[in-house]
Amino acid sequence: MAHAEIGSQESRSVDRNGAEPRPGMARELGWYASFSVAFGFVSIATGIFTTYGSVLATSGPRGIWAWPISVIGQLSIALVFGALAARIPIGGYSYQWVSRIVGPVWGWIMGWISFAFLGVVVVAVDYTIASTILPELFQYAGTTQNAWVITAGVVLLQALLVAASTRTTHRVNNAAVTAQLIGMIALTVLLFAVGFFTGKLDFAHLFETGPVPEHGYYGLGGGTHAGPFALAFLLGAFTIVGFESAANLAEETKDPARVIPKAMVQAVLSLGVLGFLFLLAITAAGRIGSAAQSATPVATVITAVLGSVVGKILLVLVVISIFSCGLVITLSGTRLVYAMSRDERFPGWRLLKRIHPRTATPLNATVFMMAIAQIILAVFSRSADALFQLFSAATLLPAVIYAGTVAMYAVKRRSLPPSRGFSLGRWEVPVLILATVWLVYELLIFRDASFRGPWVYVLVLCGIGAVYLAVFIARRGRAALTMPDMADIDRVLDGTAESADAGAEGTAR
């Protein structure tokens, strides 16, 4: 398919009346860019630096053994998403899939939940830089106030990059992902090597529960409390999410039906293995760095084992990795808002569906996502345990999205269009069973009383969405929520029709 260079050319699309051609986004992303988006969003550096302290507090060092189970569960979801991306390779991922397969109302709900997730997860990621790394890197006392200010600045910088140029954004992300791969591999190898030769590694520490009692450790818990080991699954469940962001850029990817599923699965596998090795190293050395007593446990262990100079150099690489993660989330969020606005069903869609003629990016959607992130930051930063509340909300929401999408695929898989490059084949049913069991277990964990804040966030955002949807249907009727049929997929991918225009003439479901 023809593609254009951002900043110098535009891909064009024709409206339903064959009138003025409209600017579209260029199709120029290859495999590594797609892999980098999935890898950068997941970012083991981000997830582990964010949640490791909570795992030590609730599950003890032994909690890291929940990681490989979480990776297997998330891999099963990535396989289902890959099968969907190969059949319907259009930007907006779950919103588009559910809209076209189940119905536009359910698709809108899925899109709104995805928007709520992307809004809070970028804040959780950027807050990690300000609260768990920079205080150790520059030796200052971290407070909620300075974490708020720093996070706000990082969110703004990421939005500026995304708004300026998609090509520049991907260049930054590709470089950051390369730095993350090199940095995390080097960090893991050095922790094992230096820790071994200096006697700072204690592998017995990997199997201890620390202050957490042994009794009932592996139970799911009862009432409003989850068991200690169950809470440890949040480490992997928060970290190994966002791989589907590659599917959100399907309309900017060359041969998306083949490239995107492979990129998602490879990202989950590589991150799962590297992340577990890093967890083994950091936990085995945990006693040396007094990780359990530190407000920045991972950074504390790194500097304790590797020394101040080497430790800080590697922490700088981690900051770059986490910044890249937030950059990809911002990019993904703007594409989702753009996709829903293009279909004329997001608040303020007339402004948010516009592609800036000079940058060829959805500039208004980018500014909107930045503003939403700043509001969420202002609300959550008032909490004494802001980081826990943020990453909990950013774990609950994708679990809901994944559960809804997997359930849809299980019910409708026989009526889906043929695969365009990736198929589960005879493994389809086992993968679906595994994904279902994993998601039910994960959602049961969130009945714990400590997740009250994240549930409030979810309910408030869903309430706002419900009010908007009711007003939208009352003013424009259900016909305004129609979606194009599956034949429209080819036209969108070829750049000969715009979803919003085709959607206006689509068949009501």
Side-chain angles (χ1 to χ4, degrees):
M1 298 176 187
H3 64 280
E5 294 187 354
I6 290 181
S8 60
Q9 300 179 24
E10 293 174 347
S11 59
R12 310 293 288 182
S13 56
V14 180
D15 71 15
R16 64 175 176 267
N17 297 315
E20 291 291 329
R22 301 182 180 187
M25 291 180 289
R27 187 179 295 281
E28 61 178 10
L29 306 182
W31 171 81
Y32 190 69
S34 187
F35 172 80
S36 295
V37 166
F39 193 100
F41 195 129
V42 174
S43 180
I44 50 174
T46 305
I48 293 174
F49 273 77
T50 302
T51 58
Y52 186 73
S54 294
V55 170
L56 289 181
T58 59
S59 312
R62 192 188 296 176
I64 67 167
W65 294 100
W67 175 274
I69 302 173
S70 299
V71 171
I72 293 171
Q74 298 298 81
L75 177 62
S76 67
I77 298 169
L79 289 168
V80 174
F81 274 60
L84 278 165
R87 295 167 185 257
I88 310 176
I90 299 180
Y93 64 109
S94 288
Y95 155 67
Q96 289 280 8
W97 299 336
V98 177
S99 292
R100 293 165 184 266
I101 297 171
V102 180
V105 173
W106 286 105
W108 188 93
I109 293 170
M110 186 63 70
W112 185 262
I113 295 173
S114 300
F115 158 70
F117 161 59
L118 293 168
V120 72
V121 72
V122 70
V123 179
V125 165
D126 292 341
Y127 199 88
T128 299
I129 296 176
S131 62
T132 69
I133 302 179
L134 294 186
E136 178 73 21
L137 193 59
F138 296 107
Q139 296 296 303
Y140 68 87
T143 65
T144 55
Q145 288 75 24
N146 57 41
W148 182 359
V149 172
I150 293 170
T151 304
V154 174
V155 168
L156 176 60
L157 179 57
Q158 288 163 342
L160 289 173
L161 282 170
V162 170
S165 167
T166 300
R167 170 167 290 181
T168 300
T169 299
H170 282 291
R171 283 176 175 171
V172 171
N173 183 57
N174 289 350
V177 165
T178 302
Q180 180 177 180
L181 277 168
I182 295 172
M184 291 302 294
I185 291 172
L187 186 53
T188 303
V189 171
L190 284 172
L191 283 170
F192 275 122
V194 175
F196 177 78
F197 286 110
T198 59
K200 292 181 178 180
L201 293 181
D202 181 1
F203 291 101
H205 195 46
L206 301 174
F207 303 95
E208 296 175 356
T209 61
V212 181
E214 287 272 1
H215 179 70
Y217 183 83
Y218 292 103
L220 187 58
T224 58
H225 294 284
F229 191 65
L231 290 173
F233 282 99
L234 295 182
L235 175 61
F238 170 75
T239 304
I240 312 293
V241 295
F243 45 81
E244 71 278 7
S245 57
N248 203 18
L249 301 176
E251 293 172 45
E252 300 164 70
T253 304
K254 306 170 189 175
D255 194 11
R258 296 182 184 277
V259 168
I260 290 172
K262 181 170 69 173
M264 290 194 293
V265 171
Q266 290 174 339
V268 172
L269 284 173
S270 58
L271 286 159
V273 173
L274 181 55
F276 188 54
L277 291 174
F278 179 68
L279 281 170
L280 291 175
I282 209 74
T283 305
R287 284 181 172 172
I288 300 298
S290 302
Q293 288 75 43
S294 173
T296 57
V298 179
T300 299
V301 172
I302 290 172
T303 53
V305 174
L306 303 180
S308 178
V309 175
V310 176
K312 287 184 176 181
I313 291 173
L314 291 170
L315 286 178
V316 169
L317 289 178
V318 171
V319 170
I320 294 172
S321 299
I322 297 176
F323 179 85
S324 165
C325 177
L327 188 66
V328 170
I329 295 169
T330 302
L331 181 68
S332 188
T334 61
R335 270 32 178 196
L336 175 64
V337 170
Y338 166 75
M340 294 184 71
S341 299
R342 182 180 60 182
D343 291 339
E344 301 183 3
R345 59 201 56 184
F346 196 84
W349 58 266
R350 287 182 176 84
L351 287 174
L352 299 179
K353 73 172 185 175
R354 295 178 182 174
I355 298 294
H356 194 275
R358 184 177 61 83
T359 64
T361 62
L363 178 61
N364 293 344
T366 306
V367 173
F368 174 79
M369 281 302 298
M370 187 271 294
I372 292 297
Q374 298 290 4
I375 293 170
I376 292 172
L377 172 62
V379 172
F380 275 93
S381 63
R382 298 175 183 273
S383 173
D385 57 346
L387 188 59
F388 175 79
Q389 298 297 329
L390 284 165
F391 88 70
S392 297
T395 309
L396 170 60
L397 282 163
V400 173
I401 296 167
Y402 294 161
T405 307
V406 169
M408 175 206 68
Y409 184 88
V411 173
K412 298 285 188 176
R413 69 185 192 278
R414 298 190 185 280
S415 61
L416 297 179
S419 172
R420 298 160 180 263
F422 177 84
S423 174
L424 295 176
R426 64 180 180 177
W427 294 100
E428 184 176 60
V429 173
V431 166
L432 282 171
I433 292 172
L434 178 60
T436 301
V437 171
W438 161 245
L439 286 166
V440 169
Y441 181 82
E442 183 182 349
L443 287 170
L444 283 174
I445 297 172
F446 281 96
R447 77 185 192 284
D448 192 273
S450 61
F451 301 117
R452 181 176 177 274
W455 276 113
V456 169
Y457 170 77
V458 171
L459 293 175
V460 168
L461 264 292
C462 288
I464 294 172
V467 170
Y468 173 78
L469 182 60
V471 172
F472 180 89
I473 293 175
R475 293 181 60 184
R476 301 182 60 188
R478 287 180 62 90
L481 281 174
T482 57
M483 289 292 287
D485 59 26
M486 293 298 179
D488 176 70
I489 296 172
D490 290 322
R491 296 195 297 272
V492 172
L493 292 177
D494 292 336
T496 59
E498 190 172 52
S499 258
D501 297 324
E505 294 187 327
T507 303
R509 294 182 182 273

